């Protein structure tokens, strides 16, 4: 199954809160998203990033809470991407196994994100068990 739509995202820098985090030099950012379309809801999480300029990498965890084609609940996404000369490489966004709650229990899948003209689009390819 697929769910498609758009989302807005606010990314805000966060302050490292311990000595090892400060010494790492990694960027820490909060994520605040609003999903529209076949997935309606919010996404909130944290990102760690390395690099500068046109190349680098990021990892993130994001909790999505909302309604996916009539199924209400939440789930966790794990993000990983490399940037090379300003272009995403090996960009993956995957549903964390067994993270779905309520009507989204048992959800599995992956999300493709595209950015066109400054607008963010998602395509969630997923499976969801039949209700018992």
């Amino acid at each position: 199954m697929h769910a498609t739509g758009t989302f807005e995202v606010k990314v805000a820098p966060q302050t490292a809160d311990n000595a090892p985090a400060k010494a790492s030099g990694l960027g820490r950012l909060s994520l605040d998203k609003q999903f529209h379309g076949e997935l309606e809801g919010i996404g909130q999480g944290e990102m760690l990033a390395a690099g500068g300029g046109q190349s680098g990498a990021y990892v993130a965890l994001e909790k999505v809470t909302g309604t996916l084609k009539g199924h209400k609940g939440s789930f966790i996404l794990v993000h990983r991407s490399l940037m090379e000369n300003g272009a995403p490489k090996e960009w993956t966004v995957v549903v964390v196994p067994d993270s779905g709650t309520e009507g989204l229990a048992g959800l599995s899948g992956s999300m493709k994100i595209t950015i066109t003209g400054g607008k963010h689009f998602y395509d969630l390819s997923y499976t969801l068990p039949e209700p018992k």
Side-chain angles (χ1 to χ4, degrees):
M1 294 184 279
H2 282 271
T4 60
T6 63
F7 67 92
E8 294 89 39
V9 60
K10 294 177 187 171
V11 180
Q14 301 298 303
T15 303
D17 59 2
N18 60 70
K22 289 176 187 174
S24 75
L26 297 173
R28 180 177 165 204
L29 306 112
S30 65
L31 300 172
D32 188 14
K33 292 182 182 176
Q34 182 70 46
F35 289 94
H36 308 284
E38 295 173 309
L39 170 62
E40 287 283 340
I42 60 170
Q44 297 172 314
E46 290 207 19
M47 173 190 296
L48 289 175
Q54 295 290 309
S55 297
Y58 89 87
V59 294
L61 288 171
E62 172 185 5
K63 181 178 182 181
V64 177
T65 304
T67 304
L68 174 61
K69 290 188 174 180
H71 300 277
K72 188 174 182 175
S74 66
F75 58 95
I76 307 292
L77 293 172
V78 59
H79 300 242
R80 176 195 174 275
S81 182
L82 301 174
M83 292 289 288
E84 187 176 329
N85 298 320
K89 305 276 184 186
E90 302 177 32
W91 193 359
T92 61
V93 182
V94 178
V95 175
V96 173
D98 297 322
S99 67
T101 66
E102 300 177 47
L104 297 175
L107 178 73
S108 64
S110 61
M111 181 180 283
K112 181 179 180 184
I113 297 172
T114 54
I115 304 168
T116 305
K119 191 166 185 175
H120 291 76
F121 298 87
Y122 69 85
D123 182 343
L124 178 63
S125 176
Y126 69 96
T127 60
L128 191 59
E130 292 291 323
K132 295 179 182 181

